[in-house]
């Protein structure tokens, strides 16, 4: 009997061992799948709330620009220092079909606190100084003024105004009124006549 029992016990031990091995392998697979599932999952991240300021800051310091007129969503927008007129229009949802795009310089840099009014076709911009926001406290802002506004300054005719705008577009915004002397044709005498009439 003992001779017969030994093979049975051996087979039983082999079966129990096999079951234990299978259970351990199954547990290992379950742990591995759970671990991979946690590390490999993709979490959906909601974009930042841009309800009040759809213009996302893409570069530089935050600036605020108020855009009105013939755009889809007039209002106050947060932009980045170094953004241009086209970025302000894009933040406001783009032009309406009635917008007179020719009256705006979309390539110019916008500045903090600026108000941009997009006129409709046939509308005459308010004020004799040209672009809204180009006159601050009675001084012409040389970073936002168009040719008409610059032409109101003494010794600045259409040609000089065009050179000021060309310098601004090539070099970026004026950081100080003294930068005007970098514009061809503006020497010390001309600058002294402009110093108290312009601002940045």
């Amino acid at each position: 009997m003992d001779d017969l029992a030994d093979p049975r016990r051996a087979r039983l031990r082999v079966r129990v061992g096999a079951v234990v091995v299978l259970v351990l392998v199954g547990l290992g697979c379950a742990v591995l799948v759970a671990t991979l599932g946690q590390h490999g999952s993709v979490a959906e991240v909601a974009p930042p709330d841009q309800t009040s300021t759809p213009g996302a800051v893409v570069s530089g310091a935050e600036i605020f620009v108020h855009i009105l007129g013939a755009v889809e969503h007039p209002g106050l927008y947060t932009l980045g220092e170094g953004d241009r007129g086209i970025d302000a229009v894009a933040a406001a949802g783009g032009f309406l079909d009635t917008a007179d795009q020719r009256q705006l310089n979309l390539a110019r840099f916008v500045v903090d606190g600026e108000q941009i009014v997009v006129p409709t076709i046939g509308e005459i911009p308010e004020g004799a100084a040209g672009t809204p926001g180009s006159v601050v406290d009675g001084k012409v802002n040389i970073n936002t003024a168009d040719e008409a506004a610059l032409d109101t300054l003494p010794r600045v005719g259409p040609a000089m105004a065009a050179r000021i705008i060309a310098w601004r577009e090539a070099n970026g915004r004026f950081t100080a009124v003294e930068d005007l002397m970098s514009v061809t044709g503006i020497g010390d005498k001309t600058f002294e006549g402009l110093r108290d009439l312009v601002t940045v």
Side-chain angles (χ1 to χ4, degrees), residues 99-170:
D100 187 353
Q101 300 180 32
R102 296 173 303 172
Q103 293 195 40
L104 296 176
N105 178 2
L106 298 177
R108 71 173 179 80
F109 292 98
V110 294
V111 295
D112 188 38
E114 180 179 353
Q115 183 182 80
I116 300 171
V117 179
V118 179
T120 56
I121 295 171
E123 180 182 355
I124 299 173
E126 294 181 7
T131 306
S134 62
V135 177
V136 180
D137 296 330
K139 295 184 177 183
V140 174
N141 187 322
I142 55 177
N143 282 314
T144 59
D146 60 8
E147 286 189 27
L150 293 168
D151 198 21
T152 65
L153 295 167
R155 300 188 182 186
V156 176
M160 179 70 73
R163 286 200 297 272
I164 291 172
I165 291 172
W167 188 96
R168 189 173 68 198
E169 291 174 351

XYZ file of all heavy atoms in Angstrom, residues 99-170:
526
model
N -16.432 95.380 -42.101
C -15.233 96.067 -41.618
C -14.420 96.646 -42.765
O -14.247 96.012 -43.806
C -14.371 95.110 -40.812
N -13.921 97.864 -42.552
C -13.013 98.484 -43.516
C -11.584 98.193 -43.060
O -10.990 98.944 -42.289
C -13.259 99.990 -43.587
C -12.447 100.653 -44.699
O -11.599 99.964 -45.308
O -12.656 101.846 -44.953
N -11.032 97.085 -43.545
C -9.715 96.631 -43.099
C -8.592 97.546 -43.565
O -7.507 97.551 -42.981
C -9.472 95.203 -43.593
C -10.500 94.209 -43.087
C -10.236 92.803 -43.602
O -9.095 92.408 -43.810
N -11.304 92.049 -43.830
N -8.836 98.326 -44.592
C -7.780 99.187 -45.139
C -7.391 100.312 -44.183
O -6.323 100.895 -44.315
C -8.230 99.777 -46.474
C -8.459 98.743 -47.569
C -9.063 99.383 -48.777
N -10.323 100.054 -48.444
C -10.994 100.834 -49.284
N -10.534 101.048 -50.498
N -12.121 101.398 -48.914
N -8.264 100.630 -43.236
C -7.968 101.730 -42.324
C -7.109 101.303 -41.133
O -6.770 102.122 -40.285
C -9.277 102.365 -41.816
C -10.059 103.069 -42.914
C -11.126 103.983 -42.346
O -10.905 104.661 -41.352
N -12.288 103.999 -42.990
N -6.760 100.020 -41.061
C -5.955 99.531 -39.946
C -4.619 99.006 -40.435
O -4.542 98.389 -41.495
C -6.681 98.397 -39.206
C -7.996 98.746 -38.520
C -8.606 97.484 -37.941
C -7.775 99.772 -37.424
N -3.591 99.222 -39.642
C -2.281 98.624 -39.911
C -2.170 97.378 -39.033
O -1.843 97.462 -37.847
C -1.160 99.611 -39.591
C 0.210 99.001 -39.817
O 0.345 97.848 -40.257
N 1.252 99.747 -39.512
N -2.465 96.236 -39.595
C -2.495 94.993 -38.821
C -1.112 94.511 -38.424
O -0.977 93.655 -37.557
C -3.206 93.897 -39.634
C -4.668 94.183 -39.973
C -5.236 93.055 -40.835
C -5.497 94.358 -38.722
N -0.067 95.060 -39.049
C 1.294 94.611 -38.752
C 1.926 95.359 -37.585
O 2.950 94.937 -37.060
C 2.179 94.771 -39.994
N 1.307 96.453 -37.148
C 1.941 97.253 -36.095
C 1.807 96.571 -34.732
O 0.882 95.793 -34.488
C 1.338 98.659 -36.047
C -0.082 98.704 -35.515
C -0.534 100.146 -35.344
N -1.899 100.223 -34.858
C -2.244 100.063 -33.587
N -1.324 99.802 -32.681
N -3.504 100.158 -33.219
N 2.732 96.879 -33.835
C 2.693 96.352 -32.480
C 1.613 97.073 -31.674
O 1.444 98.287 -31.802
C 4.046 96.535 -31.783
C 5.137 95.689 -32.382
C 6.019 96.238 -33.304
C 5.278 94.354 -32.038
C 7.027 95.467 -33.866
C 6.276 93.583 -32.601
C 7.151 94.131 -33.514
N 0.890 96.319 -30.853
C -0.093 96.943 -29.961
C 0.565 97.201 -28.609
O 1.563 96.567 -28.264
C -1.344 96.050 -29.799
C -2.096 95.928 -31.114
C -0.987 94.662 -29.277
N 0.008 98.145 -27.865
C 0.589 98.520 -26.582
C -0.455 98.393 -25.482
O -1.663 98.424 -25.733
C 1.158 99.953 -26.618
C 2.318 100.041 -27.591
C 0.086 100.972 -26.989
N 0.017 98.273 -24.255
C -0.867 98.108 -23.109
C -1.789 99.317 -22.955
O -1.364 100.461 -23.065
C -0.021 97.930 -21.842
C -0.872 97.561 -20.640
O -1.837 96.793 -20.804
O -0.573 98.043 -19.533
N -3.069 99.050 -22.710
C -4.042 100.114 -22.499
C -4.599 100.717 -23.765
O -5.384 101.662 -23.725
N -4.232 100.160 -24.901
C -4.668 100.721 -26.182
C -6.114 100.364 -26.485
O -6.598 99.283 -26.138
C -3.769 100.190 -27.296
C -4.135 100.713 -28.668
C -3.210 100.194 -29.754
O -2.203 99.539 -29.414
O -3.493 100.446 -30.939
N -6.807 101.283 -27.144
C -8.146 101.009 -27.658
C -8.088 101.038 -29.186
O -7.574 101.981 -29.780
C -9.157 102.037 -27.162
C -10.579 101.724 -27.626
C -11.569 102.781 -27.162
O -11.683 103.850 -27.768
N -12.254 102.500 -26.073
N -8.590 99.976 -29.800
C -8.610 99.879 -31.266
C -10.062 99.867 -31.711
O -10.858 99.058 -31.223
C -7.917 98.588 -31.752
C -6.455 98.554 -31.302
C -8.015 98.458 -33.265
C -5.768 97.227 -31.559
N -10.414 100.771 -32.611
C -11.766 100.804 -33.169
C -11.685 100.404 -34.634
O -10.994 101.046 -35.423
C -12.408 102.195 -33.032
C -13.806 102.191 -33.645
C -12.468 102.617 -31.570
N -12.371 99.325 -34.995
C -12.394 98.858 -36.378
C -13.596 99.512 -37.060
O -14.740 99.212 -36.728
C -12.508 97.325 -36.448
C -12.547 96.873 -37.915
C -11.350 96.661 -35.710
N -13.352 100.426 -38.012
C -14.475 101.128 -38.651
C -15.181 100.244 -39.674
O -14.614 99.276 -40.177
C -13.796 102.318 -39.332
C -12.414 101.813 -39.641
C -12.047 100.873 -38.526
N -16.415 100.593 -39.956
C -17.140 99.925 -41.033
C -16.819 100.630 -42.339
O -16.317 101.766 -42.354
C -18.657 99.946 -40.786
O -19.071 101.310 -40.629
C -19.019 99.154 -39.551
N -17.114 99.985 -43.453
C -16.829 100.561 -44.777
C -17.602 101.869 -44.924
O -18.805 101.933 -44.667
C -17.215 99.564 -45.882
C -16.327 98.321 -45.785
C -17.091 100.215 -47.266
C -16.748 97.181 -46.672
N -16.880 102.919 -45.273
C -17.496 104.228 -45.447
C -17.476 105.081 -44.195
O -17.761 106.279 -44.259
N -17.142 104.498 -43.050
C -17.103 105.258 -41.798
C -15.811 106.060 -41.708
O -14.731 105.573 -42.057
C -17.197 104.284 -40.609
C -17.155 104.953 -39.246
C -17.205 103.938 -38.114
O -17.369 102.721 -38.394
O -17.069 104.360 -36.955
N -15.922 107.288 -41.226
C -14.742 108.130 -41.029
C -14.307 107.985 -39.578
O -15.113 108.176 -38.673
C -15.054 109.606 -41.333
C -15.491 109.761 -42.793
C -13.845 110.485 -41.034
C -15.989 111.134 -43.156
N -13.043 107.628 -39.326
C -12.579 107.457 -37.948
C -12.777 108.737 -37.149
O -12.633 109.842 -37.668
C -11.084 107.137 -38.106
C -10.943 106.639 -39.497
C -11.976 107.360 -40.294
N -13.119 108.578 -35.854
C -13.334 109.731 -34.990
C -12.032 110.477 -34.730
O -10.982 109.876 -34.592
C -13.932 109.280 -33.653
C -15.328 108.701 -33.785
C -15.884 108.299 -32.435
O -15.231 108.599 -31.411
O -16.947 107.679 -32.405
N -12.146 111.796 -34.611
C -10.998 112.605 -34.224
C -10.100 112.931 -35.404
O -9.968 112.179 -36.358
N -9.432 114.037 -35.318
C -8.544 114.457 -36.397
C -7.181 113.813 -36.289
O -6.361 113.923 -37.180
C -8.387 115.978 -36.376
N -6.926 113.152 -35.148
C -5.582 112.602 -34.928
C -5.424 111.196 -35.446
O -4.444 110.536 -35.157
C -5.237 112.657 -33.452
N -6.396 110.697 -36.218
C -6.210 109.386 -36.836
C -6.612 108.237 -35.939
O -7.690 108.220 -35.363
N -5.727 107.257 -35.805
C -6.026 106.018 -35.107
C -6.442 106.259 -33.664
O -5.722 106.933 -32.921
C -4.785 105.104 -35.099
O -4.344 104.947 -36.418
C -5.121 103.749 -34.503
N -7.621 105.717 -33.224
C -8.002 105.854 -31.826
C -6.905 105.283 -30.933
O -6.329 104.247 -31.225
C -9.290 105.016 -31.748
C -9.825 105.018 -33.136
C -8.610 105.019 -34.030
N -6.617 105.983 -29.852
C -5.551 105.536 -28.965
C -4.209 106.129 -29.318
O -3.225 105.902 -28.627
N -4.152 106.918 -30.420
C -2.871 107.466 -30.844
C -2.522 108.761 -30.114
O -1.391 109.220 -30.173
C -2.856 107.709 -32.356
O -3.841 108.668 -32.706
N -3.516 109.376 -29.440
C -3.265 110.584 -28.672
C -3.535 110.298 -27.202
O -4.634 109.869 -26.837
C -4.134 111.766 -29.158
C -3.893 112.992 -28.291
C -3.837 112.080 -30.610
N -2.525 110.474 -26.366
C -2.642 110.199 -24.938
C -2.269 111.465 -24.186
O -1.140 111.963 -24.310
C -1.707 109.039 -24.516
C -1.835 108.776 -23.025
C -2.015 107.785 -25.322
N -3.231 111.978 -23.393
C -2.998 113.212 -22.625
C -2.465 114.340 -23.506
O -1.550 115.080 -23.129
C -2.010 112.953 -21.474
C -2.574 111.976 -20.451
O -3.814 111.948 -20.298
O -1.789 111.265 -19.816
N -3.021 114.445 -24.711
C -2.632 115.520 -25.606
C -1.344 115.278 -26.370
O -0.941 116.107 -27.180
N -0.691 114.164 -26.138
C 0.563 113.848 -26.840
C 0.320 112.715 -27.837
O -0.454 111.795 -27.575
C 1.647 113.434 -25.847
C 2.064 114.547 -24.896
C 3.207 114.095 -24.006
C 3.690 115.207 -23.094
N 4.859 114.789 -22.282
N 1.006 112.787 -28.960
C 0.875 111.746 -29.986
C 1.726 110.537 -29.589
O 2.932 110.663 -29.338
C 1.318 112.282 -31.360
C 1.326 111.160 -32.402
C 0.401 113.409 -31.813
N 1.091 109.381 -29.518
C 1.811 108.149 -29.184
C 2.482 107.634 -30.458
O 1.816 107.191 -31.392
C 0.844 107.104 -28.628
C 1.561 105.864 -28.117
O 2.532 105.410 -28.701
N 1.071 105.321 -27.028
N 3.800 107.706 -30.489
C 4.525 107.340 -31.708
C 4.531 105.835 -31.955
O 4.986 105.383 -33.017
C 5.970 107.888 -31.694
C 6.729 107.432 -30.435
C 5.950 109.399 -31.798
C 8.192 107.874 -30.399
N 4.032 105.043 -31.010
C 3.924 103.593 -31.222
C 2.601 103.197 -31.863
O 2.490 102.105 -32.416
C 4.082 102.846 -29.902
C 5.520 102.755 -29.462
O 6.395 102.432 -30.257
N 5.787 103.045 -28.207
N 1.587 104.048 -31.760
C 0.271 103.678 -32.290
C -0.245 104.629 -33.359
O -1.194 104.298 -34.069
C -0.761 103.624 -31.143
O -0.831 104.914 -30.516
C -0.376 102.592 -30.114
N 0.365 105.813 -33.471
C -0.140 106.831 -34.397
C 0.011 106.400 -35.855
O 1.010 105.791 -36.240
C 0.601 108.151 -34.171
N -1.012 106.728 -36.657
C -0.914 106.491 -38.095
C -0.330 107.744 -38.756
O 0.046 108.704 -38.071
C -2.279 106.118 -38.673
C -3.333 107.205 -38.467
O -2.968 108.315 -38.010
O -4.517 106.945 -38.747
N -0.267 107.733 -40.076
C 0.341 108.868 -40.782
C -0.408 110.166 -40.516
O 0.204 111.232 -40.358
C 0.405 108.584 -42.289
C 1.481 107.576 -42.663
C 1.671 107.486 -44.174
O 1.390 108.480 -44.874
O 2.107 106.427 -44.645
N -1.737 110.082 -40.434
C -2.531 111.296 -40.219
C -2.215 111.919 -38.862
O -2.095 113.139 -38.743
C -4.020 110.967 -40.316
N -2.070 111.080 -37.833
C -1.766 111.596 -36.499
C -0.362 112.175 -36.450
O -0.125 113.237 -35.875
C -1.925 110.482 -35.463
N 0.599 111.479 -37.066
C 1.984 111.974 -37.066
C 2.117 113.270 -37.860
O 2.932 114.141 -37.531
C 2.916 110.900 -37.631
C 3.065 109.636 -36.772
C 3.774 108.538 -37.552
C 3.816 109.948 -35.480
N 1.302 113.407 -38.879
C 1.361 114.585 -39.744
C 0.907 115.852 -39.025
O 1.157 116.966 -39.489
C 0.494 114.346 -40.985
C 0.830 115.301 -42.113
O 1.941 115.862 -42.104
O -0.030 115.497 -42.992
N 0.249 115.699 -37.871
C -0.174 116.870 -37.105
C 0.984 117.483 -36.324
O 0.871 118.593 -35.808
C -1.301 116.503 -36.110
O -0.799 115.586 -35.132
C -2.492 115.890 -36.832
N 2.104 116.765 -36.225
C 3.263 117.253 -35.483
C 4.055 118.266 -36.304
O 4.114 118.147 -37.542
C 4.172 116.075 -35.100
C 3.577 115.063 -34.122
C 4.441 113.798 -34.072
C 3.433 115.674 -32.730
N 4.674 119.245 -35.652
C 5.474 120.236 -36.398
C 6.668 119.581 -37.078
O 7.314 118.704 -36.512
C 5.916 121.218 -35.301
C 5.815 120.465 -34.017
C 4.693 119.497 -34.202
N 6.948 120.015 -38.305
C 8.070 119.522 -39.110
C 7.948 118.044 -39.506
O 8.920 117.442 -39.944
C 9.397 119.741 -38.384
C 9.677 121.203 -38.081
C 11.069 121.377 -37.559
N 11.318 122.783 -37.224
C 12.501 123.253 -36.858
N 13.546 122.462 -36.786
N 12.647 124.524 -36.563
N 6.776 117.460 -39.310
C 6.564 116.064 -39.733
C 5.501 116.074 -40.827
O 4.314 116.248 -40.553
C 6.112 115.168 -38.563
C 5.811 113.757 -39.070
C 7.178 115.136 -37.478
N 5.947 115.901 -42.049
C 5.014 115.807 -43.166
C 4.729 114.345 -43.495
O 5.174 113.443 -42.791
N 4.012 114.087 -44.593
C 3.683 112.714 -44.976
C 4.912 111.819 -45.152
O 4.897 110.652 -44.748
C 2.932 112.876 -46.295
C 2.367 114.260 -46.228
C 3.376 115.072 -45.473
N 5.981 112.353 -45.735
C 7.183 111.536 -45.961
C 7.841 111.157 -44.642
O 8.247 110.000 -44.428
C 8.170 112.283 -46.849
N 7.962 112.129 -43.726
C 8.563 111.850 -42.427
C 7.690 110.879 -41.627
O 8.193 109.971 -40.963
C 8.743 113.155 -41.642
C 9.347 112.960 -40.254
S 11.083 112.479 -40.341
C 11.804 114.043 -40.839
N 6.370 111.079 -41.691
C 5.453 110.179 -40.985
C 5.619 108.748 -41.492
O 5.641 107.790 -40.709
C 4.015 110.652 -41.171
N 5.773 108.608 -42.803
C 5.957 107.278 -43.387
C 7.260 106.650 -42.906
O 7.323 105.436 -42.642
C 5.945 107.364 -44.905
N 8.328 107.482 -42.758
C 9.607 106.944 -42.275
C 9.520 106.524 -40.811
O 10.121 105.525 -40.409
C 10.719 107.985 -42.471
C 11.147 108.147 -43.920
C 12.531 108.780 -44.030
N 12.555 110.132 -43.491
C 12.278 111.234 -44.191
N 11.908 111.136 -45.465
N 12.369 112.422 -43.630
N 8.761 107.262 -39.999
C 8.580 106.897 -38.584
C 7.872 105.542 -38.487
O 8.281 104.662 -37.729
C 7.788 107.987 -37.832
C 8.635 109.256 -37.705
C 7.364 107.496 -36.451
C 7.876 110.465 -37.156
N 6.825 105.376 -39.281
C 6.076 104.119 -39.259
C 6.939 102.968 -39.788
O 6.932 101.859 -39.243
C 4.769 104.249 -40.070
C 3.812 105.195 -39.328
C 4.122 102.887 -40.298
C 2.564 105.571 -40.108
N 7.711 103.232 -40.837
C 8.589 102.193 -41.394
C 9.639 101.773 -40.366
O 9.945 100.580 -40.233
C 9.264 102.710 -42.665
N 10.207 102.734 -39.630
C 11.198 102.393 -38.595
C 10.552 101.531 -37.519
O 11.120 100.534 -37.081
C 11.750 103.672 -37.956
C 12.903 103.418 -37.029
C 14.231 103.497 -37.328
C 12.835 103.021 -35.644
N 14.992 103.170 -36.228
C 14.161 102.876 -35.178
C 11.790 102.766 -34.758
C 14.456 102.495 -33.872
C 12.078 102.384 -33.454
C 13.399 102.261 -33.020
N 9.333 101.895 -37.122
C 8.599 101.168 -36.081
C 8.320 99.729 -36.517
O 8.457 98.785 -35.735
C 7.287 101.912 -35.810
C 6.492 101.431 -34.630
C 5.324 102.375 -34.388
N 4.325 102.319 -35.438
C 3.401 103.258 -35.647
N 3.384 104.351 -34.907
N 2.514 103.118 -36.602
N 7.947 99.556 -37.766
C 7.634 98.216 -38.269
C 8.887 97.368 -38.418
O 8.848 96.154 -38.258
C 6.882 98.311 -39.594
C 5.475 98.875 -39.428
C 4.763 99.108 -40.755
O 5.435 98.990 -41.804
O 3.559 99.406 -40.731
N 10.013 98.016 -38.704
C 11.268 97.274 -38.898
C 11.955 96.948 -37.577
O 12.603 95.900 -37.446
C 12.218 98.062 -39.784
